[in-house]
Every structure is written in structure tokens, then in C-alpha cells.
Amino acid sequence: AQTVTQSQPEMSVQEAETVTLSCTYDTSESDYYLFWYKQPPSRQMILVIRQEAYKQQNATENRFSVNFQKAAKSFSLKISDSQLGDAAMYFCAYRSSPGNQFYFGTGTSLTVIP
Amino acid sequence: GAVVSQHPSRVICKSGTSVKIECRSLDFQATTMFWYRQFPKQSLMLMATSNEGSKATYEQGVEKDKFLINHASLTLSTLTVTSAHPEDSSFYICSARSPLAGGYTDTQYFGPGTRLTVL
């Protein structure tokens, strides 16, 4: 089974600053999808960003962007201009193509300091 | 678009009783739904995958007789915790996947979760 590793259990960032959350994964497949989900205190999982492995261009969604390094099997999330509402648990996830099952990392708890 | 609801959001029951949790995709048809369990400050643990009209596929270690899953329609899946015990207390989350949802063909949309407390 694929494994997803988030080596930072906790991170903090000053409001308006930039923070990068790390994620690495292990797979022998060439085609797959990677995701970052956010889980705020409400515990509702919210999709932040999605990346197809066959695309070389890094995905961006407003203040959120990824650094996808396929050879290194790395998929980090950069949050620019951090806001208080960004405080949450962030999960990295992998899904093969084709396939149904998501593999989640253990999460990184992000604190935003006013 | 792509909204998934769960009901109830919170339930407290006595040991030995059964509890049913509903998961609905409100604005799309979900060919596949997933049930997760999440312990405090931990990641999501996949319990089972269900496809409409067929039996659910359970992950290793999940008791299928204890956690009954029914995916009766393209918009509804239910999880029934039978003869619940205090160790079943947890946060249960469902998600739905559909090729027609919100323009994303390979994304799971999550419900808000159900907190189960068994006394």
C-alpha cells in the first residue's frame, strides 16, 4: 500500500507570513493524484488543492500553491499571506489512477499567530 | 456544488444499542461512498468503501457485522453501529466520490462528521 508521510506534526506562522507544509509519499505508480485537505476545528474536511501527477505545472489556488517534485515524491503546500482562518489540521492525501482509495498522512496542525 | 451531509451530527447512546448514521450527497450522484473513523488528533482511518447497489468492501480489522453499511441509492449511504460499546465512541466521517461532481473527477467530498458517544 502507498504511504504518505507528513513529518511536521505542528507548525506555526505569523499572520500575513508564508508557511510551507511538507509531504512525501511512496509509490511505484506513474499516474496518480495528490491532494491537500484542511480540517478546521469544526472538523469538516475541505479540499484545498489538487495535483495530477502527469502535470508538471504546480497547482495554485489563490494563496495556496504546491511544490510537486515527482522524482523526489514530494508534495509540499505553501500558504502565502497567512490568515487566522487558515489555522487548522492539514492532511496530505494520495490516490492512484485508476483507483478509489485515498491514503492520508498523519496531518500537520497549523497555528496562525496574530 | 458537491455538498455532502451527515445526520446526526452528534449522538449519545447507551451501551448495547444500535445507532444509524446517514450520509447524503445533496447535489450529485455518488457512485462510491467511503466511511472513515477519526480519533482525536489523528488521521482518518478508512473503514469501508461502498458502491451503490453492491456490498461494501471493508478494510482489514473492521468488523463488518458490527459496522453495517448500506448504499441503497446514488445519494444515500448509511452506517449502522450495532450493539455499540464505549470503545466505539469516535468521530465518523463519510465522503462521496462522483465523476460528475463540481468539475473534479477525482476528488472526495466529505460530510461534516458525526460524533458518537457510547455510555
Side-chain angles (χ1 to χ4, degrees):
Chain A
Q2 283 71 15
T3 57
V4 178
T5 302
Q6 293 178 251
S7 59
Q8 306 155 316
E10 297 179 345
M11 291 281 286
S12 62
V13 62
Q14 205 77 33
E15 193 176 5
E17 297 295 312
T18 296
V19 65
T20 299
L21 308 184
S22 300
C23 174
T24 59
Y25 57 95
D26 184 26
T27 184
S28 58
E29 299 170 334
S30 60
D31 196 13
Y32 49 87
Y33 298 84
L34 296 164
F35 307 84
W36 278 97
Y37 279 90
K38 167 185 177 181
Q39 188 180 42
S42 68
R43 304 193 73 172
Q44 169 76 61
M45 293 282 283
I46 301 166
L47 176 66
V48 175
I49 202 164
R50 167 180 174 267
Q51 173 82 42
E52 294 98 330
Y54 64 86
K55 289 187 176 180
Q56 292 186 339
Q57 187 173 7
N58 289 325
T60 61
E61 287 288 341
N62 302 311
R63 297 182 295 107
F64 298 88
S65 62
V66 298
N67 183 4
F68 173 47
Q69 301 289 330
K70 191 171 184 179
K73 297 179 183 176
S74 171
F75 183 61
S76 61
L77 174 70
K78 185 172 83 171
I79 306 174
S80 303
D81 185 26
S82 297
Q83 301 175 359
L84 295 178
D86 295 334
M89 184 73 96
Y90 286 81
F91 291 99
C92 178
Y94 169 104
R95 192 186 73 75
S96 62
S97 174
N100 256 334
Q101 186 172 346
F102 273 43
Y103 297 90
F104 286 92
T106 51
T108 297
S109 178
L110 178 66
T111 300
V112 180
I113 303 166
Chain B
V3 178
V4 177
S5 70
Q6 259 182 263
H7 178 79
S9 59
R10 188 181 294 260
V11 58
I12 301 173
C13 69
K14 293 182 179 180
S15 185
T17 60
S18 294
V19 173
K20 180 184 284 188
I21 303 170
E22 291 187 349
C23 177
R24 292 181 185 272
S25 55
L26 298 184
D27 52 359
F28 65 98
Q29 293 183 324
T31 53
T32 305
M33 286 185 168
F34 306 84
W35 286 96
Y36 295 86
R37 184 172 179 176
Q38 186 181 32
F39 292 103
K41 298 187 178 181
Q42 293 190 22
S43 188
L44 283 70
M45 182 190 79
L46 180 65
M47 299 174 65
T49 302
S50 75
N51 292 294
E52 186 265 341
S54 61
K55 290 184 178 180
T57 301
Y58 290 82
E59 295 300 302
Q60 191 173 7
V62 177
E63 299 175 59
K64 58 183 67 176
D65 293 331
K66 178 164 198 56
F67 299 100
L68 300 178
I69 293 171
N70 184 284
H71 193 159
S73 75
L74 287 172
T75 59
L76 173 65
S77 177
T78 59
L79 167 67
T80 301
V81 183
T82 62
S83 186
H85 290 282
E87 57 265 32
D88 298 324
S89 298
S90 190
F91 193 68
Y92 293 87
I93 306 174
C94 74
S95 70
R97 179 191 177 196
S98 166
L100 300 177
Y104 293 109
T105 60
D106 296 291
T107 301
Q108 290 189 30
Y109 295 96
F110 287 83
T114 297
R115 181 175 300 283
L116 170 64
T117 303
V118 184
L119 302 177

